[in-house]
Structure formats: structure tokens, C-alpha cells
């Protein structure tokens, strides 16, 4: 069957849109040689008359312009086109003959020719037109047509494009790949099966019965009763493990999910196993915890506690350790609850909090200034008071300051050597100290030029003596400023 003067054009995918006279062609097909009188067949649709075409652009897309708009429904299918100078009737005959020849080539004229060496860089000679396609197996690796071929690959001659192609273009590279021989086969280039490395299986995968610290490939694992290397004291029977290797072949991260909802993580750095750390825990009752804790720290779901729906408190810390506690005494959430608070704890003791109004207070809601307690636990930070004996400030750390202004009982007219003094006066402290405090005496009012000091009776935990001194006689009674600093516990 002579096909001359027919020049065929073939594309595996082209699209004609209803109402448009443009057919969009993919696959890098050169349509520029089509002229008026060209015949186009798109799938099983009508034969149409083309008038021109374009070369493929950078994305491999080209177009064919039809003489009239496409009247069939929008169609995407394989396309066959050729030039015909004899008219439409003859073109239809030749198109049918070409289609029959193509079908014959695909069904019965696909011949295996044997082995071919790619080392020489050349493809086999093209088979004669109309004789079908030929197929070779690469016996020696090499590069042909700018592509490297390995031993075992196969090539075939494409009669539509008049060029040799790797068979993998039609069948895909997986058709010639070797399937993995086990669920942990790490051989490069192997084709994975469903379930390899714990991926894709719908049922239980095989149980890993070895040491988790000895794993050396990225994979998911099921732990069983004989699995070792988990967190100390934690039952890992039924646990799931993700082992993810880093670029460093001796480093990885392992994440372990236990059957009761706890999550642990550890790192392997340079081959050294670091300790397991618990990161999360969510039990069947909805109790959720963050951090390494042996029991849930959050009553109720975290989202519910945040929304103010449920949860008596939210605890972001290891049990018995330092951290922040977010919650509410009344059971409301810490955002919406009227009693919502943020608490700061150290050594499992609350030290400070912010209440629902934004007020910064001491532990348990006490104000900064209030009644302090020894150690400052569950108390105010500063306590201030006064009585007939003067004023005082008491701090939660044990520091105490007492102060007053007192007029002396006598004027500064009592000689003492070459000086004059008021004589010894007694001050009963407004609150007692745990030990004798340090006392400071100065002049607060009077003739001026005085200085102060302790009187003849000294100082104890509840009283102190004081006196004012002057270089010259003064018959007025000056006022002394007194400050005592010490500890109240």
C-alpha cells in the first residue's frame, strides 16, 4: 500500500472546542507544515479541513486552524492529520488506509529484533515505512539521542513520529523496576509494595520485635511484647513508632505513640541515643497534658478549657515542677470565666497570678499589699501598718522596717563632756523583730545642728533607746527621726 503523497501527523492528545476553529495540540508536535487542504481526524469525530498550523512553543503546545468552527461537542482525543492535494474524497480513502496500516502495525507488526549496544551512541536503522515497529533490548549501556540507557531497557521505533523511543515512555519506569524483597528493603531503585516500611497498609503491619535503638531506616513500625528500647517504665506493646533519618546517616528522630495516648520523642545524634521525652498525652476521658508528666495535667479538653466551657484548670508544666498554670477556681475557662486567672508557680508553689480583671496579684489572689505570711506562700508580698508606736512595712521575704518621729523628753541642755544631749529616750517598736534591728537616729525638727545615736539602754527585739546630741546648749525639746531595719522571721 503506497502512502505517498500523504504526510501523516500524529498526536496522542489534542482538544477541539465547540464553536472554535482552533485545535490545541500537545506533545511537541510540529503542525507548521499543514496547509489548506489538510485533513484532520480527532478521535471518532467528524473529518475536518485544516488551513494552517504552528510550531510547538516552549511548553510543547502547538495549534491547528480549521477552515470552519468545530461543530461537534468539545473533544479531547488522539489526532491524525495529513496533507492531501487530491480533494476530500480521496483524502478520506487515504486516511482510512493509513488508519488500517497503523492498526495492523500495532496488532501484528511489532517485532522483537534482539539485543542492541548503546555504547556506539547510535540507534538502529529505522524500519521501512509501513512494515510496523521494531523493538530492541539494550545489552550494553550507553547514551543515544542525548539519553542514557542502561542494560535491560528496551527501545521501539515509533512509526507516527519516525523516531526511536524508550519503551518506558509508554509503559512507565515502574514496568521494568525490581520489586522490594522485604518490608525493609532499602536497595536503591526498588519498587515499593503496599505495606513496605509501614506505609499504605489498611490492616496491621508486621510487628517489630527488636531494639528501637537499632533501627537504621526511615519507616513506621508496630511495637509488640518483645520490642525493646522504649521509654523507661512505659508499656510499648501496641505502640506505633516513626523513625525519620536525617542527612547524617548516624542521626535520626524517633516519635512513639503509646496505646494509652501518650507521645514520646527522642533524638539520635551521631549514633548516640538521647533520652525519651514525653511531649503530649491525651487519654480516653479527654484529659490532655503537655510535657513529661506521669498523669494528665489538664481537666477536660484543651479547646474546651480555652473556650470557658469546661475544665477546672489548665496546667502547662511538669507535675510538681516550675511552669505556668492557666485556669479558674470556679471551673470556668481562663478566658471567659469571671474567676479566670494566670498563675506562676515554682517548686509546685503558686507565687504570682493575673486575675480576670488583669490585676497582678500575689499567690492565691492576695494583693501585693496585704497580710504577708512566712515564705510568702499564698500571701501578699508587702504588708504595711501603723499604731501608736509608729509605722512599719513588712515584706514576704522576712525584711521589716519600723519608723516614727518622736519628741525627746528633755531639752538639749544636759552636759555630757564638752557637749549637750537630751538624755536617753525609749521607743517601743510598733511590731517586734525576730532579733535586735539596726537603728538609725537623726534630727527631724528643732533648733538644728543635732545628730543622733543610741541611748544608754541599747536595742532589743521590741524596744530601742535613742538620744540627740548638740555642740551648744539648747533649751527646746527636738524631734528625732527613728528607723529600725531587721527581720520579722
Amino acid at each position: 500500500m503506497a502512502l505517498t503523497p500523504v504526510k501523516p501527523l500524529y498526536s496522542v492528545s489534542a482538544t477541539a472546542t465547540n464553536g472554535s476553529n482552533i485545535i490545541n495540540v500537545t506533545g511537541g508536535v510540529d503542525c507548521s507544515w499543514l496547509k489548506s487542504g489538510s485533513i484532520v481526524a480527532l478521535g471518532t469525530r467528524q473529518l475536518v479541513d485544516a488551513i494552517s498550523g504552528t510550531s510547538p512553543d516552549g511548553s510543547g503546545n502547538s495549534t491547528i486552524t480549521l477552515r470552519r468552527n468545530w461543530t461537534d461537542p468539545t473533544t479531547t482525543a488522539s489526532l491524525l492529520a495529513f496533507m492531501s492535494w487530491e480533494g476530500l474524497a480521496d483524502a478520506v480513502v487515504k486516511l482510512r488506509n493509513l488508519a488500517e496500516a497503523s492498526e495492523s502495525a500495532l496488532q501484528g507488526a511489532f517485532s522483537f529484533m534482539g539485543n542492541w549496544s548503546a555504547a556506539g551512541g547510535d540507534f538502529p536503522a529505522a524500519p521501512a515505512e509501513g512494515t510496523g515497529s521494531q523493538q530492541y533490548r539494550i545489552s550494553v549501556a550507553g547514551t543515544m539521542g542525548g539519553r542514557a540507557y542502561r542494560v535491560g531497557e528496551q527501545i521501539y521505533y515509533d512509526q507516527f513520529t519516525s523516531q526511536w523511543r524508550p519503551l518506558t515512555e509508554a509503559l512507565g519506569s515502574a514496568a521494568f523496576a525490581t520489586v522490594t524483597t522485604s518490608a525493609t528493603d532499602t536497595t536503591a531503585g526498588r519498587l515499593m509494595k503496599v505495606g513496605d516500611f509501614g506505609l499504605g497498609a489498611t490492616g496491621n503491619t508486621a510487628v517489630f520485635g527488636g531494639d528501637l535503638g537499632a533501627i537504621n531506616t526511615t519507616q513506621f513500625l508496630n511495637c509488640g511484647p518483645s520490642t525493646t528500647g522504649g521509654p523507661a517504665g512505659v508499656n510499648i506493646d501496641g505502640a506505633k513508632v516513626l523513625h525519620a533519618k536525617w542527612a547524617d546517616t548516624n542521626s535520626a528522630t524517633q516519635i512513639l505513640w503509646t496505646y494509652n495516648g501518650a507521645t514520646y520523642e527522642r533524638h539520635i545524634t551521631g549514633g548516640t541515643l538521647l533520652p525519651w521525652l514525653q511531649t503530649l498525652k491525651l487519654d480516653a476521658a479527654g484529659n490532655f497534658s503537655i510535657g513529661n508528666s506521669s498523669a494528665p495535667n489538664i481537666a477536660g479538653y484543651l479547646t474546651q478549657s480555652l473556650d470557658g466551657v469546661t475544665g477546672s484548670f489548665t496546667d502547662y508544666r511538669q507535675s510538681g515542677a516550675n511552669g505556668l498554670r492557666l485556669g479558674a477556681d470556679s471551673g470556668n475557662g481562663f478566658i471567659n470565666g469571671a474567676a479566670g486567672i494566670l498563675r506562676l508557680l515554682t517548686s509546685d508553689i503558686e507565687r504570682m497570678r493575673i486575675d480576670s480583671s488583669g490585676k497582678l496579684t500575689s499567690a492565691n489572689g492576695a494583693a501585693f499589699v496585704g497580710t504577708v505570711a512566712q515564705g510568702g506562700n499564698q500571701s501578699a508580698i508587702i504588708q504595711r501598718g501603723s499604731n501608736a508606736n509608729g509605722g512599719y512595712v513588712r515584706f514576704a521575704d522576712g525584711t521589716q522596717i519600723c519608723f516614727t518621729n518622736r519628741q525627746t523628753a528633755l531639752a538639749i541642755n544636759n552636759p555630757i563632756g564638752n557637749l549637750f544631749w537630751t538624755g536617753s529616750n525609749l521607743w517601743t517598736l510598733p511590731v517586734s523583730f525576730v532579733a535586735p534591728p539596726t537603728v538609725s537616729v537623726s534630727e527631724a525638727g528643732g533648733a538644728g545642728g543635732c545628730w543622733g545615736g543610741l541611748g544608754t539602754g541599747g536595742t532589743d527585739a521590741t524596744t530601742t533607746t535613742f538620744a540627740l546630741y548638740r555642740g551648744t546648749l539648747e533649751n527646746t525639746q527636738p524631734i528625732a527621726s527613728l528607723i529600725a531595719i531587721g527581720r520579722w522571721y
Side-chain angles (χ1 to χ4, degrees):
M1 179 187 65
L3 297 178
T4 307
V6 176
K7 181 179 180 181
L9 178 152
Y10 176 75
S11 172
V12 295
S13 179
T15 300
T17 303
N18 178 262
S20 171
N21 69 333
I22 299 297
I23 295 180
N24 295 299
V25 182
T26 62
V29 179
D30 184 6
C31 303
S32 62
W33 55 268
L34 292 176
K35 300 291 187 284
S36 177
S38 300
I39 304 302
V40 177
L42 185 62
T44 60
R45 297 294 179 181
Q46 60 178 322
L47 298 177
V48 292
D49 186 12
I51 59 175
S52 64
T54 64
S55 300
D57 60 17
S59 301
N61 300 318
S62 54
T63 62
I64 297 174
T65 301
L66 304 179
R67 188 175 301 278
R68 298 176 181 82
N69 290 341
W70 182 262
T71 58
D72 278 357
T74 297
T75 303
T76 297
S78 60
L79 179 142
L80 186 63
F82 62 91
M83 286 288 296
S84 173
W85 303 104
E86 296 86 351
L88 182 59
D90 291 337
V92 170
V93 173
K94 290 185 177 181
L95 180 61
R96 287 175 178 172
N97 291 338
L98 181 61
E100 290 173 359
S102 300
E103 182 179 1
S104 174
L106 291 175
Q107 291 181 351
F110 200 90
S111 304
F112 179 74
M113 307 301 293
N115 291 328
W116 183 263
S117 172
D122 296 321
F123 288 107
E129 188 175 7
T131 61
S133 185
Q134 294 180 351
Q135 179 181 349
Y136 286 87
R137 175 186 177 275
I138 301 299
S139 58
V140 180
T143 299
M144 300 183 299
R147 182 189 185 279
Y149 289 86
R150 65 179 186 273
V151 175
E153 281 194 272
Q154 299 189 31
I155 58 174
Y156 76 101
Y157 189 78
D158 187 344
Q159 291 280 9
F160 291 119
T161 61
S162 301
Q163 59 182 318
W164 289 95
R165 294 178 179 273
L167 195 58
T168 53
E169 285 188 356
L171 301 179
S173 59
F176 301 96
T178 301
V179 178
T180 53
T181 58
S182 70
T184 56
D185 186 352
T186 59
T187 305
R190 291 285 171 87
L191 183 66
M192 287 179 57
K193 306 183 300 296
V194 171
D196 284 354
F197 304 100
L199 300 176
T202 56
N204 291 328
T205 56
V207 173
F208 177 74
D211 182 2
L212 295 177
I215 301 172
N216 197 37
T217 56
T218 296
Q219 57 184 300
F220 283 97
L221 299 168
N222 285 322
C223 297
S226 61
T227 307
T228 60
V234 176
N235 180 14
I236 61 173
D237 186 10
K240 308 290 183 181
V241 174
L242 168 61
H243 181 94
K245 288 184 65 63
W246 300 347
D248 176 3
T249 56
N250 293 320
S251 300
T253 295
Q254 289 185 341
I255 302 176
L256 182 146
W257 297 272
T258 65
Y259 194 77
N260 65 356
T263 301
Y264 296 84
E265 182 175 340
R266 75 170 171 185
H267 297 282
I268 303 171
T269 303
T272 301
L273 293 172
L274 302 181
W276 285 102
L277 296 175
Q278 182 174 335
T279 55
L280 300 171
K281 185 171 183 179
L282 176 63
D283 64 20
N287 296 313
F288 178 77
S289 61
I290 300 175
N292 189 11
S293 173
S294 59
N297 298 113
I298 298 179
Y301 288 106
L302 177 63
T303 54
Q304 291 178 325
S305 295
L306 290 174
D307 291 338
V309 177
T310 62
S312 59
F313 66 88
T314 304
D315 211 350
Y316 290 95
R317 63 195 180 99
Q318 183 177 348
S319 181
N322 302 339
L324 283 173
R325 173 180 289 172
L326 309 175
D329 291 332
S330 65
N332 296 323
F334 74 88
I335 291 180
N336 296 333
I341 53 175
L342 183 149
R343 301 172 180 171
L344 175 64
L345 300 93
T346 59
S347 301
D348 209 26
I349 298 174
E350 185 178 333
R351 305 296 186 182
M352 189 180 297
R353 66 169 58 180
I354 299 176
D355 64 19
S356 57
S357 67
K359 181 180 179 181
L360 181 65
T361 68
S362 63
N364 206 26
F368 271 105
V369 178
T371 302
V372 297
Q374 184 171 335
N377 298 334
Q378 309 297 318
S379 74
I381 298 174
I382 303 171
Q383 180 178 343
R384 185 182 182 95
S386 63
N387 54 39
N389 295 322
Y392 65 90
V393 177
R394 179 173 284 180
F395 296 91
D397 70 343
T399 302
Q400 180 171 277
I401 303 174
C402 293
F403 50 89
T404 190
N405 288 342
R406 296 281 166 173
Q407 190 171 36
T408 61
L410 302 173
I412 309 180
N413 54 14
N414 302 288
I416 179 172
N418 296 326
L419 303 174
F420 296 89
W421 73 317
T422 60
S424 183
N425 295 264
L426 180 66
W427 176 33
T428 300
L429 300 168
V431 288
S432 61
F433 290 83
V434 70
T438 298
V439 178
S440 172
V441 183
S442 61
E443 182 184 13
C450 298
W451 64 91
L454 294 179
T456 56
T459 301
D460 59 30
T462 58
T463 62
T464 184
T465 57
F466 67 94
L468 289 176
Y469 301 84
R470 199 170 188 273
T472 58
L473 182 145
E474 175 59 50
N475 288 318
T476 61
Q477 296 169 257
I479 299 174
S481 174
L482 307 172
I483 299 176
I485 301 176
R487 297 190 60 83
W488 63 275
Y489 73 83

